[in-house]
Amino acid sequence: MLSGVEVRLRGALPSPSDAHDAGQRLGRRLVLRHALDGCRVTVNANKRRVLAWRLEPFPELFVHWSLAPWADDVLAVLDGDRQAWIRLRDRLPSHDPEAVPTDTRPRGRVHDLTELMRTQREWLTRAPEVPVTWGRWPRMVPRRTLRLGSCTTSGAPLIRIHPVLDHEDVPDWFVGFVVFHELLHVVFPPLVGASRRVVHPRSFRMAERRHPDHARALAWERRHVGTLVRRCAERVSG
Ligand SMILES: [Zn+2]
């Protein structure tokens, strides 16, 4: 259990004392805003982790030194404000356009991902607000399996859901479960060990099993993956 604000400095920072002060201020704002007992702020010089937030095993914010002084915008990004992210991005020493979420299109023909995200967040305590969008159709014909969702966790997180799920035959609770799975990737980021990366840590799997649709979602996927792959292949080659 962490109480108060702990600041860690990582990497080559132009001014460690400024970074420490900015980290403290940011941490105090986070504790107040999210009613936390405490949190850790890691100020880094890591271009691949300019802004990331996780709640387990304790609340921790990773922030690039150039963004740490902009507490208002950092807090707004954690609340899902994309304009704030665009402002922050421009303050990075040299920004990487690849790290920016593309325009989101959450409203599909059948399913509205914003609405599904809203209901799925209720299954988690202190779930972050993460933008969600329908992904693009792949250019390659899939073989036996599909990646139904994906999530970027470096920079501002963005969840993408496979467009093959935007169909009358796909129940909304199933799409909701896929959204939930991807949301868990934000709450429980991959563990990077000495020899391998654990994409679905134990804490992730336990939280996933607590979801009321867990069993029927796995069963539905097993039963229908063939149809989804076929539908996707038809779309790609047609
Ligand atoms: Zn996963």
Side-chain angles (χ1 to χ4, degrees):
M1 202 66 215
L2 203 64
S3 74
V5 175
E6 182 185 312
V7 176
R8 268 199 322 180
L9 304 179
R10 285 285 180 274
L13 307 170
S15 165
S17 63
D18 285 352
H20 188 274
D21 292 349
Q24 269 292 341
R25 279 196 298 273
L26 198 49
R28 282 197 298 267
R29 294 275 307 271
L30 271 170
V31 163
L32 278 176
R33 169 74 160 249
H34 294 281
L36 305 169
D37 293 323
C39 73
R40 183 195 271 168
V41 178
T42 296
V43 184
N44 64 38
N46 182 345
K47 289 267 185 59
R48 296 184 57 84
R49 216 174 192 193
V50 295
L51 190 56
W53 170 235
R54 69 174 175 200
L55 293 166
E56 301 289 342
F58 50 78
E60 180 166 18
L61 177 76
F62 299 85
V63 61
H64 192 272
W65 60 267
S66 64
L67 306 186
W70 306 96
D72 285 338
D73 279 342
V74 169
L75 268 78
V77 170
L78 300 184
D79 287 340
D81 180 341
R82 294 192 52 245
Q83 289 307 315
W85 168 244
I86 290 166
R87 283 193 298 274
L88 283 183
R89 189 192 66 194
D90 291 340
R91 292 180 181 125
L92 287 167
S94 69
H95 81 259
D96 172 7
E98 290 298 303
V100 182
T102 47
D103 282 338
T104 57
R105 292 172 293 109
R107 187 181 279 276
R109 195 175 55 81
V110 179
H111 299 295
D112 181 358
L113 294 174
T114 307
E115 181 57 23
L116 291 172
M117 173 63 86
R118 196 184 60 71
T119 51
Q120 293 305 317
R121 286 181 72 226
E122 290 171 5
W123 297 114
L124 289 166
T125 48
R126 297 199 305 236
E129 210 161 296
V130 182
V132 59
T133 185
W134 290 106
R136 292 177 201 289
W137 286 94
R139 271 186 250 155
M140 302 264 284
V141 176
R143 281 196 277 188
R144 288 203 309 276
T145 139
L146 294 175
R147 203 167 168 202
L148 297 178
S150 67
C151 176
T152 50
T153 49
S154 61
L158 173 69
I159 290 173
R160 289 189 179 82
I161 303 298
H162 199 297
V164 77
L165 298 182
D166 190 26
H167 193 283
E168 294 84 352
D169 293 350
V170 183
D172 57 352
W173 57 261
F174 180 77
V175 186
F177 186 79
V178 176
V179 170
F180 179 76
H181 178 100
E182 297 308 326
L183 187 56
L184 286 181
H185 278 301
V186 182
V187 180
F188 304 100
L191 298 175
V192 184
S195 58
R196 66 196 185 110
R197 221 169 101 94
V198 183
V199 180
H200 300 114
R202 235 175 78 82
S203 46
F204 180 112
R205 288 300 188 197
M206 282 164 59
E208 190 180 41
R209 274 200 294 274
R210 282 196 293 271
H211 192 287
D213 291 328
H214 178 244
R216 70 167 173 162
L218 294 190
W220 194 94
E221 183 174 352
R222 265 197 305 275
R223 208 162 43 237
H224 295 95
V225 66
T227 310
L228 296 178
V229 168
R230 204 160 48 242
R231 197 171 284 157
C232 189
E234 279 163 16
R235 164 83 192 214
V236 173
S237 54

